[in-house]
Amino acid sequence: MSTQHSIDRATCADLDAADPLAAFRERFELPAGVVYLDGNSLGALPRSTPAHLERVIREEWGTGLIRSWNDAGWFDKPRTLGDRIAPLIGAAPGEVVLGDSTSASLFQVAVAAARLRPGRNAIVSERSSFPTDLYMLESVQELAGDGSGDPLERRLIDDESDLDAVLGDDVAVVVLTHVNYRTGRMYDLAEVTRRVHEAGALMVWDLCHSVGAVPVDLNAAGADFAIGCTYKYLNGGPGSPSFIWVASRHLATARPPLTGWHGHARPFDFGIDYAPADGITRFRVGTPQLLSVAGLEASLDVWADVDLEALREKSLRLTELFIALVDTRLAPWGVEVVSPRQSAKRGSQVALRFAEAGDALEAGDGYAVMQAIIERGVIGDFRAPDLMRFGFAPLYVSHTDVWDAVAVIEEVLASEVWREPRYARRGAVT
Ligand SMILES: Cc1ncc(COP(=O)(O)O)c(C=O)c1O
């Protein structure tokens, strides 16, 4: 933000008044007195969700009972809602289906991808992946081995610049997260996909921190597979289902490892042998968690009205404003911005930490500082060992929220209230 030295709260209010997305805030329930900067972990509640869930529960379940599998379209929901996610990620109709958890969906696509590259015995991912991705890949390595009985070899990169060193004609699949969960660093999806394809490997993207945060165009990039979650920026609700995207060109030949009856060509024949359904349906497994699916359905009504370019513009205005205010107001305490400063390389979140040189504060103090901030109504989160993470969901975070958040952080640091021992007590979830 070029005018950083002249920013005040009134400037932020002016930016809010001119914000083309401002009206979306009214479509969410947010508690009074809270600045919610954790929509990258769990999205806020859309106002329409409780009534929709009540209708699904009372009418579709209570009155419709078993008939709702047909009458309310329950059986096809993973497909019909997949088609509504498609425009958010540059996918075509029929390429997206709802899954179970993101972890399970990663397993589905990574094994399917490896099976499309037989004879290649390595899989590439990155050390800074969300750990569940690496944990799931351990099983993928074991189960999708090249037929020799040996597991696939794992090669981990630290950065995009390491790719060339690990990509060879023995690599089957590359699994990367588009926007990093800790730093918000964003890969150039098309460019990385191109390099992976040059080596003859297939590209799997984890879009957990991208969908609903930044524009994504999987088909323009020519990617192969993707997965993502819907409880973050998409606001589907806690535990809402993941989604799976498979490029049309792979749909006829891809063989997912979990071969449940909802992915069967004729589930109600109840035959004893598995036969994959046509198209993306073969990536389904079993009965979908329909109440969670209903939460997602309500939030997708909001997304149907969102202009994704305007979303990205606002996201960048918010993160640039936050970075400018951190630089000018929090520097005295050694607070540094860990996320990329170059906008094109940043998703919709900003991570901060205390510089090692900071005398009063150390890396781990970020946890206590975050708890003190949360108690004062500014909700972010902490990722060990040292990151304070703030997400900026453009549909409901305003420019004045950003101003107020930095003011609270400044007050917590200046007063040193965070040193009270209760703030250092850790809960099971940080
Ligand atoms: C990049 C990434 N992948 C996967 C997950 C988790 O997946 P699951 O939905 O299986 O808990 C997260 C959760 O925050 C994530 O950030």
Side-chain angles (χ1 to χ4, degrees):
M1 210 142 286
S2 52
T3 53
Q4 58 181 275
H5 296 295
S6 57
I7 301 169
D8 57 16
R9 201 171 187 280
T11 321
C12 295
D14 289 344
L15 288 168
D16 287 339
D19 172 12
L21 299 180
F24 279 99
R25 190 181 174 98
E26 285 312 304
R27 295 176 71 171
F28 292 89
E29 290 274 351
L30 285 160
V34 162
V35 173
Y36 192 56
L37 302 182
D38 215 359
N40 52 324
S41 207
L42 174 66
L45 170 67
R47 274 194 207 282
S48 57
T49 300
H52 182 71
L53 278 177
E54 169 134 18
R55 195 189 62 71
V56 169
I57 291 170
R58 293 199 183 280
E59 294 177 21
E60 297 185 7
W61 178 13
T63 307
L65 291 164
I66 195 76
R67 294 170 289 193
S68 288
W69 279 103
N70 287 319
D71 298 350
W74 282 358
F75 195 78
D76 292 329
K77 285 283 173 196
R79 284 284 315 272
T80 53
L81 295 199
D83 280 348
R84 294 179 64 191
I85 291 173
L88 304 176
I89 55 173
E95 289 184 333
V96 183
V97 72
L98 300 185
D100 297 86
S101 65
T102 319
S103 309
S105 294
L106 179 65
F107 181 75
Q108 273 292 68
V109 302
V111 172
R115 285 174 166 175
L116 289 170
R117 286 292 178 270
R120 291 180 169 236
N121 61 4
I123 194 159
V124 168
S125 193
E126 59 192 329
R127 215 172 298 277
S128 64
S129 299
F130 190 84
T132 200
D133 290 21
L134 296 176
Y135 303 158
M136 295 310 291
L137 289 180
E138 285 188 25
S139 288
V140 175
Q141 288 166 251
E142 210 171 297
L143 296 168
D146 60 2
S148 63
D150 294 332
L152 296 179
E153 182 195 327
R154 176 172 84 169
R155 294 185 195 151
L156 296 181
I157 61 169
D158 286 312
D159 191 64
E160 205 173 331
S161 57
D162 300 339
L163 261 180
D164 288 338
V166 294
L167 281 175
D169 59 10
D170 55 351
V171 174
V173 185
V174 177
V175 180
L176 297 175
T177 301
H178 181 219
V179 174
N180 185 270
Y181 81 105
R182 294 167 62 82
T183 63
R185 185 268 303 119
M186 180 165 70
Y187 282 129
D188 181 333
L189 194 121
E191 171 59 14
V192 171
T193 302
R194 189 190 61 73
R195 285 165 70 186
V196 167
H197 283 174
E198 243 171 42
L202 292 178
M203 185 71 229
V204 176
W205 286 106
D206 178 333
L207 300 178
C208 280
H209 292 273
S210 315
V211 62
V214 296
V216 176
D217 200 336
L218 289 164
N219 274 322
D224 300 289
F225 296 85
I227 47 108
C229 56
T230 63
Y231 50 75
K232 299 180 189 292
Y233 291 97
L234 291 192
N235 314 302
S240 62
S242 62
F243 64 85
I244 293 175
W245 170 78
V246 180
S248 296
R249 65 182 176 282
H250 295 309
L251 283 172
T253 45
R255 286 195 304 121
L258 299 172
T259 47
W261 71 305
H262 281 233
H264 194 282
R266 294 168 302 282
F268 289 92
D269 279 4
F270 298 106
I272 62 165
D273 297 315
Y274 180 75
D278 283 342
I280 192 72
T281 300
R282 67 179 55 182
F283 280 82
R284 292 181 61 174
V285 184
T287 304
Q289 292 86 346
L290 281 159
L291 297 183
S292 294
V293 169
L296 174 61
E297 184 165 40
S299 68
L300 288 176
D301 287 343
V302 178
W303 282 99
D305 300 333
V306 176
D307 171 344
L308 294 177
E309 291 307 320
L311 185 88
R312 176 65 172 159
E313 279 168 27
K314 180 172 178 190
S315 160
L316 289 181
R317 273 202 309 280
L318 294 172
T319 53
E320 283 168 8
L321 173 64
F322 184 71
I323 290 172
L325 291 172
V326 167
D327 282 345
T328 50
R329 295 177 59 179
L330 305 184
W333 291 278
V335 175
E336 68 178 21
V337 173
V338 179
S339 303
R341 286 176 177 272
Q342 199 184 330
S343 296
K345 294 192 181 263
R346 190 173 65 239
S348 203
Q349 66 185 65
V350 177
L352 305 179
R353 76 170 161 226
F354 296 109
E356 276 166 45
D359 18 285
L361 287 130
E362 293 168 13
D365 292 335
Y367 178 81
V369 171
M370 181 57 82
Q371 302 322 301
I373 295 169
I374 291 173
E375 198 177 87
R376 284 155 185 76
V378 176
I379 303 183
D381 61 25
F382 179 77
R383 288 291 170 262
D386 59 356
L387 293 188
M388 293 180 288
R389 220 173 46 146
F390 298 92
F392 299 86
L395 296 190
Y396 51 78
V397 174
S398 68
H399 302 81
T400 40
D401 282 341
V402 174
W403 175 272
D404 292 343
V406 175
V408 166
I409 303 169
E410 187 178 24
E411 186 247 315
V412 161
L413 292 173
S415 65
E416 301 203 6
V417 65
W418 62 270
R419 290 188 189 276
E420 289 177 21
R422 66 199 169 97
Y423 293 124
R425 244 173 267 132
R426 301 215 176 195
V429 176
T430 60

